[in-house]
Amino acid sequence: MKLSGWVLGALLFVASRGSAQGVPAAIYTDPPADKAHPAGMEVLHIPTHGLSINAIIYTPSGIGPHPTLVICHGFPGNEKNLDLAQAIRRAGWNAVTFNYRGAWGSPGTFRFAQNLEDADAVLAFLRDPANAAKFGIETKRMVLAGHSMGGWVTVHTAAHDHALAGAILISAADMGLIGGLEHEKLAALGRLVAGVAHEINSPVGTSLTVASALENKCALFAAEVARGELKRSSLNEFIEVVEDASSLLVTRMVRAIWSVLNASRMFAIPVHAGRRVAR
């Protein structure tokens, strides 16, 4: 896979040379209008493992096909990078954003491992000849970009998808630490949380991370039981993991409840003389 400088250069400078300060014009202004081939936007429903996830493709003005950037967003509830998608489109690229299963209205249950499957499904959908022709996609010039958790998705996807023209990581988070919980005790989650604090910097985000890890551990334990390979050491480890996870979940959710209560007090609307006064 080519991870060369032309990727970033093309993304930011193809539309113009930028201002005197070196800021690309695509960041702050639209290109000349093309009435014959105007810019557009279309909602996509991309099939992945029996479900259809939500996506949007931003198409630039001008006759295609165009190079295409697929953007993998971070942990649900944080940044979706739509401003980046708009700038990329102004630079003459297609920009595709999508929501993993269980995130932002896409059906299913959110799991880290499924994010990798969904990224593969999006790329396969865009490379389909019919879809490539419909949306003006130059399939040999497709780049994958990811922010934070999306950076983790990007690097894993690019490792096996050698047809990609490039990969871009933006403040990539190492969500792969979750997978390490197969062999480490869940008590080490303090290290995990510290490593991706910008992704799970709220009690609810941390709780979701712990619950996802615990769900994965339960599946591994159930498979071990089904194979008849359960050992006392494995049972003791599983009990310890459940105890640690339960304790952390209770602590974080209590903190989340207090946050909600404090917020409700902050925005309380008292009534004075028949008039509502908002603080």
Side-chain angles (χ1 to χ4, degrees), residues 17-268:
R17 295 180 181 177
S19 68
Q21 291 75 27
V23 179
I27 298 296
Y28 58 86
T29 188
D30 290 329
D34 186 332
K35 294 182 178 181
H37 305 282
M41 180 181 74
E42 187 165 339
V43 174
L44 308 176
H45 299 287
I46 298 178
T48 173
H49 294 264
L51 298 173
S52 293
I53 57 175
N54 302 325
I56 296 177
I57 183 169
Y58 299 84
T59 55
S61 60
I63 190 169
H66 301 281
T68 300
L69 179 73
V70 178
I71 302 172
C72 302
H73 66 68
F75 195 79
N78 288 333
E79 179 61 53
K80 294 178 72 174
N81 309 113
L82 299 183
D83 55 339
L84 176 60
Q86 294 286 2
I88 293 301
R89 172 170 63 176
R90 289 194 292 266
W93 286 58
N94 293 313
V96 178
T97 65
F98 68 97
N99 302 328
Y100 315 104
R101 275 173 283 172
W104 275 305
S106 285
T109 302
F110 179 83
R111 294 189 179 92
F112 292 129
Q114 291 181 166
N115 299 345
L116 305 178
E117 298 172 347
D118 293 344
D120 287 337
V122 170
L123 293 173
F125 177 88
L126 298 175
R127 286 170 174 151
D128 178 88
N131 293 328
K134 178 179 179 180
F135 300 112
I137 297 171
E138 187 178 351
T139 56
K140 292 185 178 181
R141 295 182 66 196
M142 291 179 61
V143 176
L144 193 63
H147 169 240
S148 202
M149 183 191 73
W152 173 77
V153 174
T154 296
V155 75
H156 278 276
T157 303
H160 68 260
D161 192 332
H162 299 162
L164 288 170
I168 301 171
L169 309 182
I170 306 171
S171 300
D174 187 4
M175 308 308 289
L177 287 176
I178 291 292
L181 292 173
E182 298 176 17
H183 308 293
E184 300 176 7
K185 297 179 180 179
L186 206 60
L189 261 170
R191 176 169 59 85
L192 169 65
V193 173
V196 292
H198 61 294
E199 282 287 23
I200 50 178
N201 55 5
S202 70
V204 175
T206 303
S207 298
L208 178 58
T209 302
V210 175
S212 177
L214 182 58
E215 181 181 39
N216 181 57
K217 186 65 179 180
C218 288
L220 293 171
F221 181 78
E224 192 173 353
V225 172
R227 293 193 302 267
E229 300 175 354
L230 182 62
K231 301 177 181 178
R232 179 175 293 275
S233 59
S234 297
L235 177 60
N236 291 336
E237 179 189 357
F238 180 73
I239 293 173
E240 186 174 356
V241 165
V242 171
E243 289 176 346
D244 289 338
S246 300
S247 176
L248 189 53
L249 280 171
V250 170
T251 300
R252 295 295 178 175
M253 292 313 297
V254 167
R255 184 178 299 181
I257 291 172
W258 276 111
S259 297
V260 172
L261 291 176
N262 289 335
S264 65
R265 294 191 187 101
M266 183 183 301
F267 294 102

Side-chain angles (χ1 to χ4, degrees), residues 261-272 275-279:
L261 291 176
N262 289 335
S264 65
R265 294 191 187 101
M266 183 183 301
F267 294 102
I269 303 178
V271 177
H272 298 288
R275 298 174 60 189
R276 290 185 178 270
V277 181
R279 292 180 180 175

